[in-house]
Amino acid sequence: MSSDNFDAIGSINIGPLDPRELLQDERAVELDYYVAVLLLEATSDAADHQPLYEESFVLLKAESEEEAAEKAADHGKQQETSYQNENHELITWKLKQVVEVKPLEDATFDDGTEIYSRFFRNYQAYSSFEPLTEEEA
């Protein structure tokens, strides 16, 4: 095919192309995995309401532990909500605390990969936490 025939074939306009976009950004930072422990609290305007707490473990990707902590707080704020329950009582969930943010030591996520651990000394206090049944929640 001669160069004269090349022009006859035509071309497809793909728009402006910046060759820099084809190169890997040298400034790109690899994100690490973090686990955040969030504590949310449910309150109510009901006279006999007992506070209900939820401990939530959230997986985050961030450049630093500081960024992960910010993302954890943002995630917790997004979980905040209010609604009327079946008894027309106002239930309000609020982020009470970002308990901890830790980098994951092993982010392979194979069977048995440890996601979170913590140490404590007061087993009696720990064992006093009993999970609620489906009916209680």
mmCIF file of all heavy atoms in Angstrom, residues 21-58:
data_model
loop_
_atom_site.group_PDB
_atom_site.id
_atom_site.type_symbol
_atom_site.label_atom_id
_atom_site.label_comp_id
_atom_site.label_asym_id
_atom_site.label_seq_id
_atom_site.Cartn_x
_atom_site.Cartn_y
_atom_site.Cartn_z
ATOM 1 N N GLU A 21 -0.386 10.825 29.841
ATOM 2 C CA GLU A 21 -1.342 9.930 30.487
ATOM 3 C C GLU A 21 -0.969 8.471 30.287
ATOM 4 O O GLU A 21 -1.418 7.607 31.026
ATOM 5 C CB GLU A 21 -2.757 10.187 29.956
ATOM 6 C CG GLU A 21 -3.305 11.534 30.350
ATOM 7 C CD GLU A 21 -4.667 11.806 29.732
ATOM 8 O OE1 GLU A 21 -5.198 10.932 29.024
ATOM 9 O OE2 GLU A 21 -5.195 12.906 29.965
ATOM 10 N N LEU A 22 -0.164 8.202 29.267
ATOM 11 C CA LEU A 22 0.247 6.836 29.001
ATOM 12 C C LEU A 22 1.401 6.395 29.884
ATOM 13 O O LEU A 22 1.665 5.218 30.031
ATOM 14 C CB LEU A 22 0.641 6.687 27.523
ATOM 15 C CG LEU A 22 -0.458 7.029 26.519
ATOM 16 C CD1 LEU A 22 0.094 6.961 25.109
ATOM 17 C CD2 LEU A 22 -1.641 6.110 26.695
ATOM 18 N N LEU A 23 2.106 7.343 30.468
ATOM 19 C CA LEU A 23 3.219 7.035 31.347
ATOM 20 C C LEU A 23 2.715 6.847 32.768
ATOM 21 O O LEU A 23 1.773 7.499 33.201
ATOM 22 C CB LEU A 23 4.246 8.177 31.323
ATOM 23 C CG LEU A 23 4.854 8.501 29.963
ATOM 24 C CD1 LEU A 23 5.735 9.737 30.074
ATOM 25 C CD2 LEU A 23 5.647 7.321 29.453
ATOM 26 N N GLN A 24 3.341 5.950 33.498
ATOM 27 C CA GLN A 24 2.964 5.755 34.895
ATOM 28 C C GLN A 24 3.396 6.968 35.690
ATOM 29 O O GLN A 24 4.514 7.463 35.543
ATOM 30 C CB GLN A 24 3.614 4.501 35.456
ATOM 31 C CG GLN A 24 3.140 4.173 36.846
ATOM 32 C CD GLN A 24 3.656 2.823 37.312
ATOM 33 O OE1 GLN A 24 4.445 2.181 36.650
ATOM 34 N NE2 GLN A 24 3.197 2.406 38.462
ATOM 35 N N ASP A 25 2.506 7.476 36.495
ATOM 36 C CA ASP A 25 2.784 8.657 37.296
ATOM 37 C C ASP A 25 3.830 8.318 38.354
ATOM 38 O O ASP A 25 3.607 7.465 39.214
ATOM 39 C CB ASP A 25 1.495 9.145 37.958
ATOM 40 C CG ASP A 25 1.656 10.488 38.651
ATOM 41 O OD1 ASP A 25 2.789 10.992 38.751
ATOM 42 O OD2 ASP A 25 0.627 11.033 39.088
ATOM 43 N N GLU A 26 4.993 8.974 38.254
ATOM 44 C CA GLU A 26 6.064 8.712 39.208
ATOM 45 C C GLU A 26 5.678 9.136 40.616
ATOM 46 O O GLU A 26 6.228 8.661 41.589
ATOM 47 C CB GLU A 26 7.331 9.454 38.774
ATOM 48 C CG GLU A 26 7.914 8.935 37.481
ATOM 49 C CD GLU A 26 9.106 9.765 37.020
ATOM 50 O OE1 GLU A 26 9.553 10.644 37.782
ATOM 51 O OE2 GLU A 26 9.571 9.526 35.900
ATOM 52 N N ARG A 27 4.739 10.055 40.726
ATOM 53 C CA ARG A 27 4.320 10.543 42.042
ATOM 54 C C ARG A 27 3.258 9.657 42.676
ATOM 55 O O ARG A 27 2.859 9.882 43.803
ATOM 56 C CB ARG A 27 3.775 11.963 41.924
ATOM 57 C CG ARG A 27 4.814 12.960 41.437
ATOM 58 C CD ARG A 27 4.168 14.254 41.082
ATOM 59 N NE ARG A 27 3.331 14.003 39.911
ATOM 60 C CZ ARG A 27 2.406 14.818 39.453
ATOM 61 N NH1 ARG A 27 2.166 15.944 40.058
ATOM 62 N NH2 ARG A 27 1.697 14.526 38.383
ATOM 63 N N ALA A 28 2.759 8.673 41.935
ATOM 64 C CA ALA A 28 1.701 7.810 42.462
ATOM 65 C C ALA A 28 2.201 7.098 43.719
ATOM 66 O O ALA A 28 3.291 6.542 43.743
ATOM 67 C CB ALA A 28 1.261 6.799 41.422
ATOM 68 N N VAL A 29 1.413 7.142 44.747
ATOM 69 C CA VAL A 29 1.769 6.522 46.016
ATOM 70 C C VAL A 29 0.947 5.259 46.170
ATOM 71 O O VAL A 29 -0.257 5.249 45.917
ATOM 72 C CB VAL A 29 1.468 7.492 47.192
ATOM 73 C CG1 VAL A 29 1.754 6.826 48.521
ATOM 74 C CG2 VAL A 29 2.267 8.771 47.035
ATOM 75 N N GLU A 30 1.605 4.206 46.569
ATOM 76 C CA GLU A 30 0.889 2.954 46.789
ATOM 77 C C GLU A 30 0.080 3.068 48.078
ATOM 78 O O GLU A 30 0.594 3.490 49.115
ATOM 79 C CB GLU A 30 1.873 1.796 46.896
ATOM 80 C CG GLU A 30 1.183 0.463 46.951
ATOM 81 C CD GLU A 30 2.156 -0.699 46.879
ATOM 82 O OE1 GLU A 30 3.133 -0.612 46.106
ATOM 83 O OE2 GLU A 30 1.938 -1.676 47.609
ATOM 84 N N LEU A 31 -1.180 2.695 48.004
ATOM 85 C CA LEU A 31 -2.045 2.770 49.177
ATOM 86 C C LEU A 31 -1.895 1.507 50.005
ATOM 87 O O LEU A 31 -1.762 0.411 49.469
ATOM 88 C CB LEU A 31 -3.499 2.948 48.746
ATOM 89 C CG LEU A 31 -3.800 4.196 47.916
ATOM 90 C CD1 LEU A 31 -5.270 4.230 47.526
ATOM 91 C CD2 LEU A 31 -3.425 5.452 48.670
ATOM 92 N N ASP A 32 -1.915 1.677 51.315
ATOM 93 C CA ASP A 32 -1.847 0.555 52.241
ATOM 94 C C ASP A 32 -3.234 0.302 52.815
ATOM 95 O O ASP A 32 -4.089 1.178 52.829
ATOM 96 C CB ASP A 32 -0.863 0.859 53.374
ATOM 97 C CG ASP A 32 0.575 0.954 52.882
ATOM 98 O OD1 ASP A 32 0.970 0.123 52.047
ATOM 99 O OD2 ASP A 32 1.290 1.864 53.343
ATOM 100 N N TYR A 33 -3.419 -0.914 53.332
ATOM 101 C CA TYR A 33 -4.683 -1.276 53.978
ATOM 102 C C TYR A 33 -4.601 -0.990 55.472
ATOM 103 O O TYR A 33 -3.568 -1.236 56.106
ATOM 104 C CB TYR A 33 -5.003 -2.755 53.776
ATOM 105 C CG TYR A 33 -5.503 -3.078 52.400
ATOM 106 C CD1 TYR A 33 -4.658 -3.592 51.426
ATOM 107 C CD2 TYR A 33 -6.845 -2.880 52.072
ATOM 108 C CE1 TYR A 33 -5.120 -3.891 50.165
ATOM 109 C CE2 TYR A 33 -7.322 -3.175 50.813
ATOM 110 C CZ TYR A 33 -6.457 -3.687 49.858
ATOM 111 O OH TYR A 33 -6.928 -3.986 48.605
ATOM 112 N N TYR A 34 -5.708 -0.500 55.997
ATOM 113 C CA TYR A 34 -5.842 -0.226 57.427
ATOM 114 C C TYR A 34 -7.174 -0.792 57.896
ATOM 115 O O TYR A 34 -8.114 -0.918 57.115
ATOM 116 C CB TYR A 34 -5.822 1.286 57.703
ATOM 117 C CG TYR A 34 -4.505 1.938 57.373
ATOM 118 C CD1 TYR A 34 -4.209 2.347 56.089
ATOM 119 C CD2 TYR A 34 -3.547 2.127 58.368
ATOM 120 C CE1 TYR A 34 -2.986 2.937 55.779
ATOM 121 C CE2 TYR A 34 -2.324 2.721 58.074
ATOM 122 C CZ TYR A 34 -2.051 3.117 56.772
ATOM 123 O OH TYR A 34 -0.853 3.689 56.477
ATOM 124 N N VAL A 35 -7.241 -1.099 59.180
ATOM 125 C CA VAL A 35 -8.515 -1.475 59.782
ATOM 126 C C VAL A 35 -8.837 -0.417 60.835
ATOM 127 O O VAL A 35 -7.964 0.004 61.598
ATOM 128 C CB VAL A 35 -8.501 -2.897 60.392
ATOM 129 C CG1 VAL A 35 -7.500 -3.021 61.518
ATOM 130 C CG2 VAL A 35 -9.896 -3.306 60.859
ATOM 131 N N ALA A 36 -10.077 0.034 60.810
ATOM 132 C CA ALA A 36 -10.537 1.018 61.789
ATOM 133 C C ALA A 36 -11.632 0.385 62.636
ATOM 134 O O ALA A 36 -12.480 -0.339 62.117
ATOM 135 C CB ALA A 36 -11.071 2.260 61.086
ATOM 136 N N VAL A 37 -11.586 0.665 63.914
ATOM 137 C CA VAL A 37 -12.616 0.206 64.839
ATOM 138 C C VAL A 37 -13.455 1.422 65.202
ATOM 139 O O VAL A 37 -12.944 2.392 65.762
ATOM 140 C CB VAL A 37 -12.001 -0.428 66.101
ATOM 141 C CG1 VAL A 37 -13.099 -0.925 67.036
ATOM 142 C CG2 VAL A 37 -11.052 -1.552 65.730
ATOM 143 N N LEU A 38 -14.731 1.361 64.849
ATOM 144 C CA LEU A 38 -15.646 2.474 65.105
ATOM 145 C C LEU A 38 -16.652 2.054 66.158
ATOM 146 O O LEU A 38 -17.101 0.906 66.192
ATOM 147 C CB LEU A 38 -16.398 2.858 63.828
ATOM 148 C CG LEU A 38 -15.557 3.144 62.590
ATOM 149 C CD1 LEU A 38 -16.462 3.479 61.413
ATOM 150 C CD2 LEU A 38 -14.590 4.260 62.849
ATOM 151 N N LEU A 39 -17.041 2.991 66.996
ATOM 152 C CA LEU A 39 -18.081 2.760 67.988
ATOM 153 C C LEU A 39 -19.220 3.726 67.704
ATOM 154 O O LEU A 39 -19.021 4.945 67.690
ATOM 155 C CB LEU A 39 -17.533 2.977 69.404
ATOM 156 C CG LEU A 39 -18.516 2.714 70.541
ATOM 157 C CD1 LEU A 39 -18.919 1.240 70.569
ATOM 158 C CD2 LEU A 39 -17.907 3.122 71.868
ATOM 159 N N LEU A 40 -20.396 3.156 67.438
ATOM 160 C CA LEU A 40 -21.599 3.961 67.201
ATOM 161 C C LEU A 40 -22.568 3.743 68.346
ATOM 162 O O LEU A 40 -22.592 2.679 68.967
ATOM 163 C CB LEU A 40 -22.240 3.570 65.871
ATOM 164 C CG LEU A 40 -21.369 3.911 64.666
ATOM 165 C CD1 LEU A 40 -20.864 2.645 64.021
ATOM 166 C CD2 LEU A 40 -22.140 4.745 63.695
ATOM 167 N N GLU A 41 -23.362 4.765 68.628
ATOM 168 C CA GLU A 41 -24.314 4.700 69.733
ATOM 169 C C GLU A 41 -25.702 5.067 69.225
ATOM 170 O O GLU A 41 -25.869 6.043 68.495
ATOM 171 C CB GLU A 41 -23.910 5.671 70.836
ATOM 172 C CG GLU A 41 -24.880 5.704 72.005
ATOM 173 C CD GLU A 41 -24.475 6.705 73.087
ATOM 174 O OE1 GLU A 41 -23.838 7.720 72.760
ATOM 175 O OE2 GLU A 41 -24.812 6.461 74.257
ATOM 176 N N ALA A 42 -26.685 4.278 69.642
ATOM 177 C CA ALA A 42 -28.080 4.574 69.331
ATOM 178 C C ALA A 42 -28.746 5.147 70.563
ATOM 179 O O ALA A 42 -28.672 4.571 71.652
ATOM 180 C CB ALA A 42 -28.821 3.315 68.882
ATOM 181 N N THR A 43 -29.381 6.296 70.397
ATOM 182 C CA THR A 43 -30.147 6.912 71.473
ATOM 183 C C THR A 43 -31.584 7.048 71.007
ATOM 184 O O THR A 43 -31.885 6.908 69.830
ATOM 185 C CB THR A 43 -29.581 8.294 71.852
ATOM 186 O OG1 THR A 43 -29.597 9.127 70.693
ATOM 187 C CG2 THR A 43 -28.162 8.181 72.391
ATOM 188 N N SER A 44 -32.462 7.338 71.954
ATOM 189 C CA SER A 44 -33.880 7.463 71.626
ATOM 190 C C SER A 44 -34.548 8.444 72.572
ATOM 191 O O SER A 44 -34.066 8.683 73.679
ATOM 192 C CB SER A 44 -34.563 6.099 71.741
ATOM 193 O OG SER A 44 -35.960 6.226 71.561
ATOM 194 N N ASP A 45 -35.683 8.967 72.109
ATOM 195 C CA ASP A 45 -36.475 9.833 72.971
ATOM 196 C C ASP A 45 -37.448 9.030 73.838
ATOM 197 O O ASP A 45 -38.194 9.591 74.624
ATOM 198 C CB ASP A 45 -37.220 10.888 72.142
ATOM 199 C CG ASP A 45 -38.146 10.279 71.103
ATOM 200 O OD1 ASP A 45 -38.229 9.029 70.988
ATOM 201 O OD2 ASP A 45 -38.812 11.062 70.398
ATOM 202 N N ALA A 46 -37.413 7.703 73.720
ATOM 203 C CA ALA A 46 -38.284 6.849 74.530
ATOM 204 C C ALA A 46 -37.832 6.884 75.991
ATOM 205 O O ALA A 46 -36.637 6.866 76.284
ATOM 206 C CB ALA A 46 -38.254 5.423 74.016
ATOM 207 N N ALA A 47 -38.788 6.921 76.890
ATOM 208 C CA ALA A 47 -38.495 7.026 78.319
ATOM 209 C C ALA A 47 -37.695 5.826 78.841
ATOM 210 O O ALA A 47 -36.818 5.976 79.687
ATOM 211 C CB ALA A 47 -39.787 7.165 79.105
ATOM 212 N N ASP A 48 -37.967 4.636 78.348
ATOM 213 C CA ASP A 48 -37.307 3.431 78.856
ATOM 214 C C ASP A 48 -36.135 2.970 77.990
ATOM 215 O O ASP A 48 -35.646 1.857 78.133
ATOM 216 C CB ASP A 48 -38.325 2.299 78.981
ATOM 217 C CG ASP A 48 -38.936 1.919 77.637
ATOM 218 O OD1 ASP A 48 -38.834 2.714 76.671
ATOM 219 O OD2 ASP A 48 -39.514 0.822 77.549
ATOM 220 N N HIS A 49 -35.643 3.843 77.130
ATOM 221 C CA HIS A 49 -34.571 3.457 76.206
ATOM 222 C C HIS A 49 -33.258 3.202 76.933
ATOM 223 O O HIS A 49 -32.841 3.985 77.782
ATOM 224 C CB HIS A 49 -34.354 4.541 75.147
ATOM 225 C CG HIS A 49 -33.208 4.246 74.226
ATOM 226 N ND1 HIS A 49 -33.297 3.336 73.207
ATOM 227 C CD2 HIS A 49 -31.940 4.720 74.190
ATOM 228 C CE1 HIS A 49 -32.138 3.272 72.575
ATOM 229 N NE2 HIS A 49 -31.305 4.100 73.159
ATOM 230 N N GLN A 50 -32.635 2.089 76.594
ATOM 231 C CA GLN A 50 -31.290 1.801 77.065
ATOM 232 C C GLN A 50 -30.359 1.986 75.867
ATOM 233 O O GLN A 50 -30.641 1.459 74.785
ATOM 234 C CB GLN A 50 -31.186 0.371 77.584
ATOM 235 C CG GLN A 50 -32.003 0.113 78.822
ATOM 236 C CD GLN A 50 -31.840 -1.334 79.288
ATOM 237 O OE1 GLN A 50 -31.176 -2.129 78.655
ATOM 238 N NE2 GLN A 50 -32.467 -1.639 80.397
ATOM 239 N N PRO A 51 -29.267 2.706 76.026
ATOM 240 C CA PRO A 51 -28.372 2.925 74.887
ATOM 241 C C PRO A 51 -27.923 1.603 74.264
ATOM 242 O O PRO A 51 -27.717 0.610 74.964
ATOM 243 C CB PRO A 51 -27.179 3.661 75.486
ATOM 244 C CG PRO A 51 -27.695 4.265 76.747
ATOM 245 C CD PRO A 51 -28.775 3.339 77.240
ATOM 246 N N LEU A 52 -27.797 1.608 72.957
ATOM 247 C CA LEU A 52 -27.325 0.446 72.213
ATOM 248 C C LEU A 52 -26.066 0.882 71.481
ATOM 249 O O LEU A 52 -26.012 1.985 70.919
ATOM 250 C CB LEU A 52 -28.396 -0.010 71.215
ATOM 251 C CG LEU A 52 -28.052 -1.198 70.333
ATOM 252 C CD1 LEU A 52 -27.815 -2.460 71.172
ATOM 253 C CD2 LEU A 52 -29.164 -1.436 69.322
ATOM 254 N N TYR A 53 -25.043 0.047 71.493
ATOM 255 C CA TYR A 53 -23.770 0.372 70.872
ATOM 256 C C TYR A 53 -23.451 -0.654 69.795
ATOM 257 O O TYR A 53 -23.797 -1.831 69.932
ATOM 258 C CB TYR A 53 -22.642 0.387 71.912
ATOM 259 C CG TYR A 53 -22.877 1.399 72.999
ATOM 260 C CD1 TYR A 53 -23.512 1.044 74.180
ATOM 261 C CD2 TYR A 53 -22.489 2.726 72.829
ATOM 262 C CE1 TYR A 53 -23.751 1.974 75.177
ATOM 263 C CE2 TYR A 53 -22.719 3.668 73.818
ATOM 264 C CZ TYR A 53 -23.349 3.274 74.987
ATOM 265 O OH TYR A 53 -23.586 4.203 75.966
ATOM 266 N N GLU A 54 -22.792 -0.192 68.749
ATOM 267 C CA GLU A 54 -22.316 -1.089 67.700
ATOM 268 C C GLU A 54 -20.826 -0.843 67.515
ATOM 269 O O GLU A 54 -20.385 0.291 67.321
ATOM 270 C CB GLU A 54 -23.022 -0.835 66.379
ATOM 271 C CG GLU A 54 -22.496 -1.715 65.258
ATOM 272 C CD GLU A 54 -23.089 -1.410 63.902
ATOM 273 O OE1 GLU A 54 -23.781 -0.383 63.760
ATOM 274 O OE2 GLU A 54 -22.850 -2.194 62.977
ATOM 275 N N GLU A 55 -20.049 -1.920 67.580
ATOM 276 C CA GLU A 55 -18.626 -1.853 67.280
ATOM 277 C C GLU A 55 -18.466 -2.357 65.854
ATOM 278 O O GLU A 55 -18.895 -3.462 65.522
ATOM 279 C CB GLU A 55 -17.847 -2.728 68.256
ATOM 280 C CG GLU A 55 -16.353 -2.617 68.116
ATOM 281 C CD GLU A 55 -15.626 -3.457 69.153
ATOM 282 O OE1 GLU A 55 -16.003 -4.626 69.375
ATOM 283 O OE2 GLU A 55 -14.662 -2.939 69.730
ATOM 284 N N SER A 56 -17.872 -1.532 65.007
ATOM 285 C CA SER A 56 -17.762 -1.844 63.587
ATOM 286 C C SER A 56 -16.295 -1.849 63.172
ATOM 287 O O SER A 56 -15.540 -0.941 63.531
ATOM 288 C CB SER A 56 -18.538 -0.786 62.797
ATOM 289 O OG SER A 56 -18.397 -0.976 61.417
ATOM 290 N N PHE A 57 -15.892 -2.866 62.416
ATOM 291 C CA PHE A 57 -14.533 -2.978 61.908
ATOM 292 C C PHE A 57 -14.583 -2.662 60.414
ATOM 293 O O PHE A 57 -15.280 -3.337 59.663
ATOM 294 C CB PHE A 57 -13.977 -4.387 62.129
ATOM 295 C CG PHE A 57 -13.869 -4.742 63.585
ATOM 296 C CD1 PHE A 57 -14.990 -5.159 64.290
ATOM 297 C CD2 PHE A 57 -12.665 -4.654 64.254
ATOM 298 C CE1 PHE A 57 -14.902 -5.485 65.630
ATOM 299 C CE2 PHE A 57 -12.563 -4.977 65.593
ATOM 300 C CZ PHE A 57 -13.691 -5.388 66.285
ATOM 301 N N VAL A 58 -13.841 -1.633 59.996
ATOM 302 C CA VAL A 58 -13.928 -1.135 58.631
ATOM 303 C C VAL A 58 -12.557 -1.236 57.971
ATOM 304 O O VAL A 58 -11.547 -0.815 58.552
ATOM 305 C CB VAL A 58 -14.409 0.339 58.632
ATOM 306 C CG1 VAL A 58 -14.470 0.889 57.220
ATOM 307 C CG2 VAL A 58 -15.756 0.459 59.321
#
